[in-house]
Amino acid sequence: ATGIDVTGTVVADGLTVVGSGSNIRYDVASSNPHTNPILHLENQNTTDGNVASLMLSADNANGVGGSAYIYAQSETANQKGNLVFAREDGANTPTTSMKLSSNGDISFYEDTGTTAKLTWDASAESLNFADNGKATFGAGDLQIYHDGSHSYISDAGQGDLRISGSSLVDIKC
């Protein structure tokens, strides 16, 4: 009724874990698994759907900062096959940092993990910055951005801002 305990080594041809909330856990220190690095493989049936995940925890399996997640989504048809990279926010909530979509798009999220601020659109072969997202070059000397109303090329560095080409067309002031 309580399972089995094995002292020594187990060699098996395979491993099947069955049941609601099933997971496989490898703890560095089995005496207290919540204060040591942990590798956690899990298949969850969440309110958002099925999620297979790999959690790496530097100090705690229950979400005290230091955990990172890689998980595959299968919630809806347009999310199947997405691979999400997330970090622990310290309150048992994974916060999305980056998503690799099954269609080849790549999205980078802001600090709350709710809005993609930089996206590679694979089908259009274009890199898209959200409003106020800046492409910064050098030590912040050159910035290119759009604030939702106006577009900017800002050169705060030393030296000249040079634009060159065989001809410059449609320059309006």
Side-chain angles (χ1 to χ4, degrees):
T2 61
I4 64 169
D5 290 325
V6 176
T7 302
T9 302
V10 173
V11 177
D13 292 336
L15 173 66
T16 302
V17 180
V18 179
S20 176
S22 296
N23 60 63
I24 301 168
R25 209 179 224 179
Y26 169 74
D27 299 327
V28 172
S30 60
S31 62
N32 188 351
H34 301 298
T35 59
N36 296 285
I38 291 174
L39 169 65
H40 186 141
L41 304 173
E42 185 171 42
N43 181 20
Q44 303 175 26
N45 185 2
T46 67
T47 56
D48 296 327
N50 293 324
V51 176
S53 67
L54 166 67
M55 181 187 73
L56 307 170
S57 177
D59 58 12
N60 188 316
N62 287 330
V64 176
S67 296
Y69 301 81
I70 302 171
Y71 60 93
Q73 293 179 305
S74 67
E75 291 92 355
T76 62
N78 66 342
Q79 292 179 326
K80 286 187 179 193
N82 291 349
L83 187 62
V84 177
F85 294 80
R87 65 195 182 284
E88 181 59 62
D89 67 359
N92 289 331
T93 306
T95 301
T96 300
S97 294
M98 180 176 74
K99 180 175 16 176
L100 304 174
S101 298
S102 59
N103 66 359
D105 292 352
I106 303 170
S107 301
F108 295 91
Y109 288 76
E110 40 64 72
D111 60 344
T112 68
T114 57
T115 306
K117 293 295 187 173
L118 176 64
T119 304
W120 167 255
D121 183 332
S123 63
E125 297 182 354
S126 69
L127 188 61
N128 302 303
F129 292 81
D131 285 343
N132 295 308
K134 298 178 180 180
T136 303
F137 302 88
D141 300 336
L142 176 63
Q143 296 179 343
I144 301 173
Y145 62 99
H146 183 77
D147 69 2
S149 299
H150 304 286
S151 299
Y152 300 89
I153 298 175
S154 173
D155 182 13
Q158 296 190 7
D160 299 327
L161 174 62
R162 299 176 185 210
I163 301 172
S164 64
S166 59
S167 65
L168 297 174
V169 292
D170 291 333
I171 297 177
K172 299 175 183 166
C173 296

